[in-house]
Amino acid sequence: MGSDQTSATTRSAEPVYRRIADAMRARIESGELAQGDQLPPIRALAADLGVNRDTVSLAYDALRTEGLVEGEVGRGTFVRASVRAEPMAATARLQLAEAAETLLRFEGARPRLAGGQDLVALHTLVPEPALYPASAFRRALNKVLDETGPELLMYGGARGDPGLRAVLAARLRADRIGVSPDEVVLCHGASQGISLALRLFAGSGDAIAVEVPTYGGVLSTLTALGLRAEPVTMQSDGDGGRAPDLDEVDRTLARPDVKAFYTIPTFHNPLGTTTPLEHRRRLLALAARHGKPLIEDAFAMDLRYEGQPVPSLAALDESGLVVQLCSFSKSLFPGARAGAVIARGRAVEALTALKRATDLSDSMPLQAALAEFVSNGAYDRHLVKLRRELRLRRDALLEALEHHMPEGTAWTRPEGGYQLWVDLPDDPFDFDTRDLLADAARAGVTFQPGAAFLPEGGPSRGLRLTVAQADAAAIECGVEALGRALRARFAQDPTARQAAAVQL
Ligand SMILES: Cc1ncc(COP(=O)(O)O)c(C=O)c1O
């Protein structure tokens, strides 16, 4: 790839990344780049062409979406082994729905972050299998399969296994008053809970207020459902805490097109922060004044390892405005795909109907095994160990940040869960943490750039670190590598970067 593509950067109105992708595709189709060959590294090609690295990265993402190449950040991009002779197969001409096209673009732009022996994975919120209570769960599953009749293998009711709803309701009663098993609708993880709760209140074209930053999954779900995200700033309290700006919530909920507020008050993803009791009370009062529901994502509800629990929004709710989502993915294992939506009155009736209309029912053997696992005490025994390990890892992370982050960096201090947020210091040039990802991966660590948590996709000077896949020793190595990559980046001459950006 030489002068041809260099001229492509100045020649036409077509986006530069498209022209780069076209040129690469031509090289693959002509056989010049064969199966398994590595494409030029992003940094080298960007320097060669005098374009920004993001532009090359976008071009490679487009080729990845077409199925022509594969690879992950920091490991290189390769021509796929099974590249079709005719890449634009008949299916490529299918007219997809607008939402599906948008999701395809999101997928293409998503960084592929690898794990692996030489990389410390601080990017993922998927707990590592070493943390799963696999043997105890296997025993619970075998027990219910041995002891229950064939009815376990039939479709269940839309609300899910009555035994699991009963044990969940009992646990929730410890946190608040009067949840009955009939107010619990089991579902495929909090992800399906989000989708059900959104559909409960909003239809195509409506908007949902979301925190900024927020969980990326809810942003994709909004797109899939044809809904808009209305951003609400997460305000800093100056002391490491963050909470949604209540004036903004007030203004946003006043709008007729905004149908609900999706919020993560406890162990926020990605921030790791928990909102204080008084803030929760004021938020509930606002919601009541506007008559708008709050969708409380309590995905990490059982993972507090420090400090006093703050009552959930659902626990404080006196008006039936809160729909709460729970999950076993982070406290047990994500493959359970087990979660729940808790609601009252007509909302729970409608949720049940929505669940039935979506997929009839969940896996009954799995839910029955979970009920056994929770009620025989294995879940609580597991939580004791898990919380202890998470606290060790959190402490290691905080200590490593203290040692290795450049002056001016700030981070949050979670009291539970797996993640915290890092704000990089101001520097003389515009900086987006996506730009740092490849350097960090080469140094030996991955993180999740802040852009992944913004409705408009960035840029962001923030990043999320997690302790889901790395123990204390690995965390120290990973943060040390991140510090190295950061310092190297900050030491670069800002004028060189700006010159590259101007070329676009
Ligand atoms: C805030 C939040 N909600 C929901 C989910 C999805 O959870 P589940 O695996 O239960 O679908 C996640 C997953 O990371 C999350 O971070």
Side-chain angles (χ1 to χ4, degrees):
M1 181 121 181
S3 54
D4 234 34
Q5 282 71 35
T6 312
S7 54
T9 60
T10 53
R11 218 169 41 210
S12 120
E14 197 180 2
V16 177
Y17 85 90
R18 265 276 142 226
R19 298 188 65 83
I20 298 173
D22 290 349
M24 275 295 169
R25 187 184 310 100
R27 289 180 68 190
I28 293 169
E29 284 169 14
S30 73
E32 187 191 337
L33 279 170
Q35 295 180 359
D37 278 358
Q38 183 171 10
L39 270 58
I42 291 177
R43 180 198 284 259
L45 186 57
D48 212 24
L49 299 177
V51 300
N52 191 296
R53 273 188 256 166
D54 283 351
T55 309
V56 178
S57 184
L58 267 179
Y60 285 10
D61 283 340
L63 295 171
R64 195 179 287 116
T65 306
E66 288 173 33
L68 288 172
V69 302
E70 60 194 354
E72 289 155 331
V73 169
R75 295 182 175 267
T77 306
F78 297 86
V79 179
R80 264 185 63 174
S82 57
V83 167
R84 294 164 298 214
E86 177 52 76
M88 283 296 159
T91 52
R93 289 193 293 273
L94 279 180
Q95 182 78 42
L96 299 180
E98 201 183 314
E101 291 288 2
T102 310
L103 285 172
L104 264 182
R105 276 200 303 281
F106 281 1
E107 282 295 313
R110 204 157 52 92
R112 277 19 178 206
L113 295 161
Q117 284 185 336
D118 47 344
L119 265 184
V120 181
L122 300 183
H123 67 280
T124 174
L125 206 44
V126 178
E128 63 173 325
L131 300 172
Y132 306 164
S135 310
F137 190 77
R138 192 177 301 114
R139 281 195 295 279
L141 185 59
N142 287 339
K143 182 165 190 277
V144 294
L145 288 172
D146 284 349
E147 293 178 5
T148 321
E151 69 275 12
L152 194 63
L153 307 179
M154 292 171 63
Y155 284 116
R159 281 181 209 193
D161 177 71
L164 184 55
R165 287 192 285 119
V167 291
L168 259 182
R171 292 180 78 82
L172 288 164
R173 276 198 296 274
D175 176 40
R176 67 171 144 141
I177 313 145
V179 179
S180 83
D182 285 345
E183 291 168 320
V184 178
V185 177
L186 300 175
C187 57
H188 267 93
S191 305
Q192 191 182 45
I194 291 172
S195 170
L196 292 169
L198 292 175
R199 284 185 286 154
L200 199 54
F201 302 116
S204 182
D206 287 336
I208 298 289
V210 297
E211 292 153 345
V212 174
T214 192
Y215 170 48
V218 79
L219 298 174
S220 305
T221 305
L222 288 171
T223 301
L225 297 177
L227 302 174
R228 287 172 295 115
E230 232 5 273
V232 170
T233 310
M234 285 300 275
Q235 220 174 20
S236 172
D237 65 4
D239 210 18
R242 314 266 172 113
D245 180 329
L246 290 174
D247 291 336
E248 275 187 38
V249 174
D250 191 15
R251 282 195 298 277
T252 309
L253 289 185
R255 284 176 31 185
D257 59 322
V258 176
K259 303 298 182 190
F261 180 32
Y262 166 85
T263 173
I264 317 169
T266 306
F267 315 140
H268 187 275
N269 182 17
L271 297 173
T273 49
T274 294
T275 63
L277 179 60
E278 187 46 34
H279 185 280
R280 293 177 186 215
R281 292 218 163 96
R282 290 175 58 206
L283 178 61
L284 279 161
L286 270 181
R289 185 145 59 74
H290 293 288
K292 298 273 171 81
L294 299 176
I295 300 171
E296 176 182 33
D297 191 335
F299 77 115
M301 73 267 178
D302 288 329
L303 296 181
R304 176 173 288 279
Y305 48 69
E306 184 180 83
Q308 283 306 310
V310 186
S312 64
L313 290 171
L316 300 167
D317 176 30
E318 288 172 357
S319 319
L321 284 170
V322 177
V323 172
Q324 191 187 45
L325 314 174
C326 305
S327 170
F328 282 101
S329 290
K330 314 300 174 186
S331 55
L332 194 53
F333 45 79
R337 305 311 301 126
V341 190
I342 290 96
R344 306 251 168 96
R346 291 181 67 233
V348 81
E349 298 303 328
L351 266 174
T352 310
L354 263 174
K355 173 67 181 160
R356 187 177 292 115
T358 303
D359 58 7
L360 300 181
S361 80
D362 289 339
S363 156
M364 288 304 109
L366 207 116
Q367 289 187 353
L370 256 178
E372 164 64 24
F373 186 80
V374 177
S375 53
N376 74 17
Y379 182 57
D380 281 323
R381 284 193 294 279
H382 161 67
L383 284 178
V384 170
K385 284 194 229 149
L386 180 61
R387 291 190 194 116
R388 193 185 307 132
E389 177 63 21
L390 287 183
R391 186 178 177 140
L392 281 175
R393 292 182 183 199
R394 191 275 321 249
D395 289 347
L397 181 54
L398 292 177
E399 202 180 316
L401 287 166
E402 205 65 66
H403 279 137
H404 301 298
M405 283 300 103
E407 180 84 17
T409 309
W411 52 88
T412 59
R413 188 183 197 284
E415 296 184 333
Y418 294 85
Q419 70 282 358
L420 62 67
W421 180 262
V422 177
D423 273 317
L424 296 181
D426 289 342
D427 73 334
F429 52 87
D430 257 357
F431 184 73
D432 178 6
T433 44
R434 276 175 298 191
D435 287 346
L436 186 69
L437 208 46
D439 290 351
R442 268 188 291 276
V445 65
T446 53
F447 62 85
Q448 196 61 256
F453 308 101
L454 304 179
E456 300 300 332
S460 165
R461 304 180 68 82
L463 58 92
R464 185 191 71 184
L465 298 178
T466 72
V467 299
Q469 296 269 340
D471 64 15
I475 288 166
E476 157 63 23
C477 293
V479 176
E480 191 272 326
L482 180 62
R484 233 180 317 122
L486 257 175
R487 266 181 256 277
R489 173 50 69 98
F490 286 165
Q492 273 176 14
D493 176 9
T495 50
R497 249 180 75 89
Q498 274 160 2
V502 168
Q503 298 234 5
L504 290 173

